[in-house]
Amino acid sequence: MVNDTSTRTIKFGVKDLSIWFGNVPALKHVSLDIRSNMILSVIGPSNSGKTTFLRMLNRMNELNQNSRIEGEVTLEGDDIKNVDVEILRKRVGMVFALPLPLPLSIFDNVAYGVRMHGLKDKRVLREKVEVSLKEAYLWEEVKDRLGESAFKLSGGQQQRLCIARTLAVEPEVILFDEPCSGLDPISTAKVEDAMVELKQKYTVVLVTNNVKQAARVGDLTAFFLGGELIEIDKTDKMFTAPGDKRTDGYIRGKFG
C-alpha cells in the first residue's frame, strides 16, 4: 500500500461531474483526483454510479446517445473532451467484467492492438507480446502454445489475456470493470497479483463489488451511493474508520 499520496502527480482530475441518461441521473456532482501509480478501488451497491464513473474516464458513456454530461474530467491537465477519442482510449485502456478474447491465436490476441497502431517489426512484436503476457501473469502458462486459439484458455486465463492485450499498446491508465466477477478464487488471486504489480508502471482504477478485493489491492478507496461520491480515503482508514456511517454499513454488508 502507498501511504503518502501527496507526492504522487494527479493523473485524472474530476470536477463537479454529473451524468444523466435521459432524465435519470447516474452521477451527481462528483469531484476527486486520481493520482499516478496507485490503485483506486471504487465500491458501492448496484446502480451507485461506479461503472458510469469508470466509463467516463475514457469517454465510453458517449456511446449512449441519451447521455448528458456536465463538469470536467482532465487527463494530466487536458480536458478529455478535447482529446481525440482513439488517442484517449490508447492512453486509457479498459478490461471488462467478462473476458472477450478475439477469435485468433493467443499471440495474435495480444498483438492485435499493436498491429492496429502500425507496428510491423516481427521481432519487436514478439518482444511486446512476451512482456505483456509476463505483466499479466500469463506467460509461463502459455509460452509454449502461443499459436493455439485463445478460446482454449480457461476463463481466468482469458481474462489475463485481455489484460495483456490492453498492456501491449502501452497505456498510462488501466480501468478494470469488475474483472474477477466470474472467476474462481485462484484466478482472482492471479489477477489481483497482476494489478498490484502493474501500479509500478500504470495508474489503475478498479470497480469491484467485492469489498474484500478492494481492501486487498486498493491504495485508495472511493465509495459511491445513489450516484454520489460519499467519501474517498486511504483504503486502510476506509475499512477501519470510515468517515460516513453509510460507508460503514456497506462495508459491513448491512446493505448492497
Side-chain angles (χ1 to χ4, degrees):
M1 295 281 181
V2 174
N3 292 319
D4 183 9
T5 64
S6 62
T7 60
R8 306 280 174 164
T9 59
I10 295 174
K11 179 62 73 170
F12 275 108
V14 180
K15 297 179 181 178
D16 201 26
L17 176 66
S18 296
I19 299 177
W20 293 262
F21 295 111
N23 294 321
V24 180
L27 288 178
K28 307 171 187 175
H29 306 291
V30 172
S31 296
L32 59 83
D33 292 331
I34 301 174
R35 295 184 180 270
S36 61
N37 301 105
M38 301 182 71
I39 300 177
L40 171 65
S41 294
V42 181
I43 61 173
S46 298
N47 299 315
S48 61
K50 58 188 187 294
T51 294
T52 299
F53 171 76
L54 190 76
R55 291 167 64 90
M56 182 63 213
L57 299 178
N58 69 352
R59 292 176 53 184
M60 288 195 69
N61 291 314
E62 296 174 19
L63 297 173
N64 186 327
Q65 295 182 347
N66 291 321
S67 65
R68 179 164 60 91
I69 301 167
E70 294 182 359
E72 181 182 73
V73 178
T74 57
L75 176 59
E76 294 190 334
D78 296 325
D79 192 324
I80 64 171
K81 293 196 298 290
N82 301 324
V83 179
D84 180 89
V85 72
E86 289 190 12
I87 294 174
L88 178 66
R89 290 176 186 162
K90 182 179 184 297
R91 295 177 66 186
V92 184
M94 190 162 186
V95 177
F96 297 92
L98 295 176
L100 298 170
L102 302 169
L104 302 169
S105 70
I106 295 168
F107 182 95
D108 288 337
N109 261 269
V110 181
Y112 182 83
V114 182
R115 284 174 169 150
M116 290 290 288
H117 286 97
L119 179 63
K120 296 181 180 179
D121 187 303
K122 292 182 179 179
R123 181 185 60 82
V124 176
L125 200 60
R126 286 195 300 270
E127 290 176 354
K128 281 188 174 292
V129 169
E130 180 175 343
V131 169
S132 299
L133 286 168
K134 285 179 176 177
E135 289 185 333
Y137 278 47
L138 187 58
W139 173 251
E140 292 300 325
E141 297 169 43
V142 302
K143 63 182 180 182
D144 297 323
R145 47 192 292 214
L146 296 177
E148 290 185 13
S149 169
F151 293 132
K152 290 187 177 181
L153 298 176
S154 69
Q157 289 173 326
Q158 288 184 13
Q159 187 63 296
R160 282 178 283 145
L161 180 70
C162 292
I163 294 171
R165 189 173 67 206
T166 299
L167 296 175
V169 298
E170 299 181 354
E172 301 165 35
V173 181
I174 309 171
L175 310 177
F176 288 94
D177 188 9
E178 300 179 26
C180 303
S181 60
L183 302 186
D184 61 80
I186 293 175
S187 296
T188 294
K190 289 182 178 180
V191 172
E192 290 178 0
D193 288 343
M195 282 191 280
V196 171
E197 286 298 317
L198 289 172
K199 74 177 181 182
Q200 307 303 321
K201 292 177 60 177
Y202 310 93
T203 300
V204 176
V205 185
L206 166 68
V207 162
T208 179
N209 285 323
N210 184 336
V211 293
K212 292 182 178 179
Q213 180 176 71
R216 285 192 295 266
V217 304
D219 296 300
L220 297 176
T221 296
F223 173 56
F224 281 72
L225 182 65
E228 298 181 47
L229 173 62
I230 303 303
E231 64 178 304
I232 179 171
D233 210 331
K234 294 178 182 178
T235 295
D236 54 358
K237 183 176 183 298
M238 181 79 89
F239 279 83
T240 56
D244 191 288
K245 63 181 181 181
R246 292 168 293 180
T247 309
D248 184 64
Y250 178 74
I251 289 172
R252 292 175 181 274
K254 294 181 179 179
F255 67 95

